[in-house]
Amino acid sequence: MTKRQFGKFITVEGCEGVGKSTQTRLLKEYCQREGVDAYFTREPGGTPVAERIRGLILDGANTGMDAFCELLLYEAARRQHTRELILPLLKSGKTVFCDRYIDSTLAYQGYARGLSGAKIRTLNEWASDGAPIALTLFLDADPVAGFIRKGGADKTDRLEAEGAEFHKRVYEGFLRLAADNPRRVVKIDASGTKEETHGKIVAVLKQKGIF
Ligand code: TMP
């Protein structure tokens, strides 16, 4: 009996307003059109428990949240999402696209909030439980331009409501992560039109043997 092959796990990362949701939607439509059997999910969230944790984290009313508490909530949501959904899908041979994953925690809670990268890496390992990331697409665009494009930050969203300096540090964090992990992370110039960015993403996925 041949062993079923593990599915490919692809994460999509980037700053706010760079068109990540649009690109994920275009990619989903592409997969439906081309008959690519792929599942699309997001973090924080993806399962009922993790979506409830998402609500807690992003709620703008939770002004007193401690940074480490925030980190643990992201990791708690990830653990649930990974165990309940991502790993079973990968084990069944499915391709899984996840809008944000471990690099967002390193960029936001690490580089931008200033929490220890070593601690985050340990928590990321626990939460992701060995889920092997085949490829990370980093949508590279300036977060300030992103906010202008989407008409400003959503002030009811606790993370989006952080200032420009915070989002600049997130961006620098992503650039460092891309430089430190050149085999896994591919930078995609996302400063052009959505069609141009979509074309670049599909080209990379073909080149890397995902499609
Ligand atoms: P989204 O707006 O892309 O859905 O992501 C929700 C917010 O959560 C966004 O501001 C990025 C942030 N985030 C972190 O700060 N750390 C994480 O680990 C993840 C997954 C997201």
Side-chain angles (χ1 to χ4, degrees), residues 13-16 20-21 42-44 54 57-58 70-71 74-75 78 99-109 124 157-160 166-167:
E13 300 278 10
C15 296
E16 325 277 331
K20 218 162 31 59
S21 315
R42 70 164 181 184
E43 288 223 338
R54 177 189 177 92
I57 302 173
L58 299 182
E70 175 186 281
L71 166 64
Y74 276 114
E75 298 290 1
R78 176 163 305 136
D99 182 343
R100 298 195 181 282
Y101 203 61
I102 53 169
D103 297 302
S104 276
T105 322
L106 287 161
Y108 283 81
Q109 281 66 49
N124 275 345
D157 180 307
R158 222 172 41 80
L159 272 286
E160 268 200 33
F166 177 88
H167 291 289

Side-chain angles (χ1 to χ4, degrees), residues 95-124:
T95 297
V96 177
F97 284 92
C98 190
D99 182 343
R100 298 195 181 282
Y101 203 61
I102 53 169
D103 297 302
S104 276
T105 322
L106 287 161
Y108 283 81
Q109 281 66 49
Y111 287 96
R113 288 253 191 264
L115 299 183
S116 146
K119 281 191 181 134
I120 295 174
R121 282 191 176 82
T122 302
L123 291 168
N124 275 345

